[in-house]
Amino acid sequence: NLFFYHIYSPIEFVLYSLYFTNLSMSRETNKFIYLNIPLFLLLTFISTAFIQKIDVNNGFVTTMASILNILYCLLYLRHINIYQIADRAERNPFFWVTIGILFYSTGYLFVEGFLNLLLEISIDTARFYYKMGFLFKYVMCIMFLVGILIRKPSDALQTKG
């Protein structure tokens, strides 16, 4: 199934990048994110073709994606801290989604980034840490759920019958 991660990781990165460009941050930040998409895809292709082939865990690519996603999260959190200080962050659904992505990317950075090294040490150790990585995915899902549940009533579609 390593082949699927070589496809999944770039798609996931592109989707997260597009999410962050839609958060109305600065024009410069959006240009930076849009510039990173083709560069990341190019690095992914180079990595898959020459560095970490299809039969190897693509730790280089997932590490790069995690670092960029963490950077995007921090840029958005800085943005709401500076420009939306009057609004309470915990009532902003995008805040919770971003926190979820931040937790997920941070955990993914360490788990996937060190997976090849852990596989050299012990398969059982690698399996243990890989399974611990699911904890970060669960935290992300919980944060997404919180973001969905606390959205403002004006955000929901209101129909009058």
Side-chain angles (χ1 to χ4, degrees), residues 23-55:
L23 291 179
S24 300
M25 289 190 279
S26 71
R27 181 173 293 164
E28 292 80 21
T29 302
N30 286 347
K31 284 181 185 178
F32 173 71
I33 294 171
Y34 280 128
L35 177 66
N36 280 329
I37 292 172
L39 290 176
F40 180 80
L41 293 175
L42 178 65
L43 284 173
T44 299
F45 175 75
I46 291 170
S47 176
T48 300
F50 303 110
I51 301 169
Q52 294 178 324
K53 307 247 186 219
I54 293 292
D55 59 341

Side-chain angles (χ1 to χ4, degrees), residues 5 9 12 62 66 104-113 137:
Y5 282 102
S9 295
E12 179 185 46
T62 55
S66 295
Y104 171 67
S105 296
T106 303
Y108 210 62
L109 173 67
F110 290 105
V111 172
E112 289 291 326
K137 292 178 185 178

Side-chain angles (χ1 to χ4, degrees), residues 140-158:
M140 180 181 69
C141 291
I142 291 169
M143 295 296 117
F144 282 11
L145 183 62
V146 170
I148 290 168
L149 293 176
I150 61 104
R151 71 174 191 246
K152 300 172 193 166
S154 62
D155 293 342
L157 293 176
Q158 297 178 5

Side-chain angles (χ1 to χ4, degrees), residues 113-131:
F114 292 112
L115 191 60
N116 288 333
L117 177 65
L118 291 170
L119 284 169
E120 292 177 15
I121 295 170
S122 163
I123 291 178
D124 291 333
T125 304
R127 233 182 240 130
F128 172 76
Y129 283 102
Y130 183 77
K131 289 179 182 177

Side-chain angles (χ1 to χ4, degrees), residues 19-20 27 59 65 91 120 157 159:
Y19 163 77
F20 284 107
R27 181 173 293 164
R91 292 190 186 137
E120 292 177 15
L157 293 176
T159 58

